[in-house]
Amino acid sequence: MARQKFDFDLIVIGSGAGGSAAATISAALGKRVAIIEKDDFGGESPNLGDIPMSAMLQTAQIFDSAKHGDRFGLRTNALSYNYPSIQEWKKLAVKRTGAGGNRNYYESKGISTFKGIARFITPHEITINRRHLSAENFLIATGSNFFIPNIPGLSDVNFHTMHSALNITRPPKTMFIIGSNSRAIELAELFSTFGTKVYLADSSARILPNEDEEVGLLLDKHLKEAKGITFLTHTRVLEVSKSSITKRVVIRRGGIERSINVEEVVVCLGTTPNVDLGLENADIEYDPTGIKVNNYLQTSQKHIFAAGDVLGRNSETQGALMESRVVAFNLYHRNKIIPDYLGAPRITWTNPNVVSIGMQEDDCLKRDLKVKKAIAPLNTTPRSNTADFRDGFVKLIADKNNVIIGATIVAPNGAEMAGELTLAVRLGMTAEQLRETPHAFLTWSEAIRIAASRLIN
Ligand SMILES: Cc1cc2nc3c(=O)[nH]c(=O)nc-3n(C[C@H](O)[C@H](O)[C@H](O)COP(=O)(O)OP(=O)(O)OC[C@H]3O[C@@H](n4cnc5c(N)ncnc54)[C@H](O)[C@@H]3O)c2cc1C
């Protein structure tokens, strides 16, 4: 048999959502595939992000519902939790995903696995653990690192990131979270449910600044009242220092400086793409905001693709998976496809869930787009009476022909309602079609029908 020109048909760098789909699809097509991972196989989502967070929030939200069960006639005074057991439950949830920390998962799919840091040395060659590997094609899916701000004293205290915060061995008495994005709000809900006094600070005017105004205001009110979280918007963190066994956080708010002593500080300000892998040696264009790709996810070297957080698009797991599938197709087809992000839902997993689909009202205002909007508060649905929850809403955005172009849901289990509105946006459905779609009586989704009716009338 003739000697192969390259060691592999495809080398994937990074085994997270952005890398794994293309690797497994390529292996299923009979390609010689290698995947290189410097840390836990499976990447952030199963090991450190979505899955552990979801498992912990599930526990917190059940605990919270049970704690407030007296209004439904339940006796709840003996309710308590065991945090080490909650951590064990989280580990079980990670294990159940299959990919979490599991190199065998990839090998069982016929993929060669290598543990170590990959660096390009030429456009067709990388080093890993002093070994050279070559491939005809590459996929870079190296994800992102947390953005750590340059706050005096921060690096001298033992602060947490989103990853390490989920591994704290017991809920601290007090916690200061820097940032107010979805992940920060989820973490605030999680720890406050287990009794931690949480302070959360951001320079933005409201929490969840990427969502429409009423979303941040509603969550702020709800979480403040239900959990006693202190939201410090319009706030700058000036300094962090050690103060005996606690940490002292100095802030400025409304021109006034004050300090807050806490047990734990968590930095939760988003991420920056992980572009430190010798890209210049392969002539791959990039800058600190991410690797540059064309519509087909090819880098400036056409045989090297990139997908996931390393693109700097804040794609999240579903986006990274979709991009990875697009790469798998484009690697082996002359007629290439482009990723279609239309209607991809963005979710904050608090209770109530916050779901954004397609265009938000703020997006339309910024672009000066003339649109119609209608809101159905959850208390217009019978479900709000039986669930004793009245705070959320469904908001629909439509163009002048009543075609749905966006939606926001703030509702318990609102994420489970996302599919209908994602389809509506992707298929260009009208408010009339949504209104005429049967929605089961006593589901929260009746609010979608009501909002659709309000768009028409
Ligand atoms: C707490 C938390 C909760 C989240 N919840 C959600 C959610 O509910 N829904 C959602 O959609 N998203 C969520 N996300 C975001 C989501 O986890 C990421 O967007 C997603 O995992 C990105 O996938 P990726 O493949 O691009 O990167 P990653 O999963 O980070 O994979 C990149 C991999 O590359 C490896 N690597 C990097 N450099 C090299 C190198 N030089 N050599 C070898 N290996 C390398 C890294 O070790 C890593 O394993 C959450 C994130 C966090 C932190």
Side-chain angles (χ1 to χ4, degrees):
M1 206 172 99
R3 198 169 173 275
Q4 304 268 11
K5 190 171 170 204
F6 298 110
D7 299 328
F8 292 97
D9 298 318
L10 173 67
I11 290 180
V12 176
I13 306 174
S15 66
S20 57
T24 48
I25 293 169
S26 298
L29 291 172
K31 305 291 177 189
R32 296 170 308 139
V33 181
I35 200 160
I36 300 176
E37 174 54 60
K38 72 176 167 66
D39 215 320
D40 286 335
F41 276 84
E44 180 175 73
S45 172
N47 294 306
L48 306 157
D50 323 20
I51 301 287
M53 176 59 111
S54 172
M56 301 279 283
L57 274 175
Q58 164 82 2
T59 310
Q61 289 168 2
I62 290 174
F63 181 61
D64 193 59
S65 301
K67 240 179 14 184
H68 295 102
D70 50 349
R71 67 199 202 281
F72 302 119
L74 304 178
R75 284 204 198 108
T76 59
N77 27 9
L79 196 68
S80 64
Y81 64 82
N82 180 292
Y83 207 69
S85 303
I86 295 174
Q87 289 284 355
E88 285 309 309
W89 151 241
K90 179 191 75 178
K91 285 181 198 156
L92 177 65
V94 168
K95 202 167 160 211
R96 278 185 182 160
T97 63
N102 187 355
R103 190 171 178 165
N104 297 339
Y105 171 85
Y106 297 92
E107 286 181 350
S108 72
K109 309 268 174 202
I111 299 167
S112 304
T113 60
F114 295 87
K115 178 116 186 177
I117 297 176
R119 284 190 77 75
F120 279 96
I121 44 176
T122 73
H124 279 285
E125 226 179 338
I126 52 161
T127 56
I128 166 179
N129 305 334
R130 296 207 204 111
R131 190 170 166 183
H132 289 198
L133 294 177
S134 64
E136 187 172 359
N137 297 293
F138 287 85
L139 167 58
I140 304 169
T142 46
S144 55
N145 299 313
F146 290 113
F147 172 72
I148 306 299
N150 196 5
I151 297 172
L154 182 64
S155 54
D156 302 328
V157 301
N158 255 343
F159 69 88
H160 285 280
T161 63
M162 287 298 298
H163 292 166
S164 60
L166 293 178
N167 294 332
I168 294 175
T169 49
R170 59 166 180 81
K173 285 202 171 59
T174 44
M175 174 179 277
F176 194 101
I177 300 175
I178 305 174
S180 70
N181 56 30
S182 297
R183 306 285 94 90
I185 305 299
E186 289 165 3
L187 201 73
E189 184 190 66
L190 176 70
F191 279 100
S192 59
T193 302
F194 293 125
T196 300
K197 167 66 196 167
V198 176
Y199 300 86
L200 185 144
D202 200 299
S203 54
S204 60
R206 58 174 192 265
I207 63 167
L208 295 174
N210 291 335
E211 308 297 340
D212 283 352
E213 189 176 9
E214 62 266 61
V215 176
L217 296 180
L218 191 151
L219 261 276
D220 185 313
K221 181 171 170 290
H222 180 76
L223 292 175
K224 211 183 281 167
E225 282 169 8
K227 310 269 177 223
I229 299 172
T230 300
F231 290 115
L232 300 161
T233 49
H234 291 293
T235 298
R236 259 178 74 90
V237 177
L238 302 177
E239 193 189 333
V240 181
S241 57
K242 276 189 207 145
S243 166
S244 64
I245 53 163
T246 61
K247 291 158 185 120
R248 184 166 169 268
V249 184
V250 182
I251 59 168
R252 183 184 298 129
R253 188 167 198 239
I256 296 170
E257 267 185 37
R258 61 181 273 226
S259 65
I260 298 171
N261 277 12
V262 288
E263 224 177 288
E264 301 290 0
V265 173
V266 186
V267 176
C268 193
L269 287 171
T271 57
T272 55
N274 189 359
V275 289
D276 179 18
L277 68 157
L279 297 173
E280 40 294 310
N281 300 334
D283 279 330
I284 298 167
E285 253 180 62
Y286 74 100
D287 68 23
T289 65
I291 293 185
K292 305 295 159 203
V293 288
N294 64 15
N295 283 341
Y296 309 124
L297 302 177
Q298 288 167 302
T299 67
S300 46
Q301 293 283 351
K302 294 281 178 279
H303 68 287
I304 302 178
F305 291 72
D309 281 6
V310 75
L311 299 180
R313 297 177 181 175
N314 287 331
S315 61
E316 302 216 311
T317 302
Q318 54 174 345
L321 280 169
M322 192 250 289
E323 287 159 359
S324 196
R325 287 193 293 264
V326 166
V327 169
F329 184 92
N330 289 347
L331 272 165
Y332 312 115
H333 292 84
R334 214 177 271 276
N335 292 328
K336 304 201 182 313
I337 55 173
I338 60 176
D340 179 2
Y341 304 98
L342 182 66
R346 193 172 64 220
I347 296 167
T348 307
W349 294 97
T350 43
N351 184 29
N353 292 167
V354 174
V355 186
S356 307
I357 293 156
M359 300 284 280
Q360 305 305 291
E361 191 181 357
D362 273 5
D363 301 330
C364 300
L365 287 172
K366 277 180 208 146
R367 292 180 207 186
D368 231 0
L369 289 178
K370 294 237 170 332
V371 292
K372 297 161 78 175
K373 73 159 180 179
I375 294 186
L378 288 190
N379 63 14
T380 55
T381 66
R383 179 65 182 269
S384 68
N385 295 324
T386 59
D388 196 32
F389 190 95
R390 294 181 173 72
D391 277 348
F393 62 84
V394 169
K395 174 158 80 170
L396 296 179
I397 308 285
D399 68 12
K400 63 179 185 331
N401 299 318
N402 275 342
V403 173
I404 307 295
I405 58 169
T408 306
I409 304 167
V410 183
N413 299 320
E416 313 299 340
M417 290 153 74
E420 176 182 0
L421 292 173
T422 295
L423 264 185
V425 169
R426 289 181 71 85
L427 301 181
M429 286 173 69
T430 60
E432 285 82 356
Q433 287 172 314
L434 269 188
R435 183 187 60 180
E436 299 313 321
T437 301
H439 290 85
F441 181 62
L442 272 178
T443 59
W444 293 114
S445 70
E446 282 191 288
I448 296 177
R449 179 182 52 74
I450 297 165
S453 307
R454 289 183 175 184
L455 262 182
I456 298 160
N457 300 322

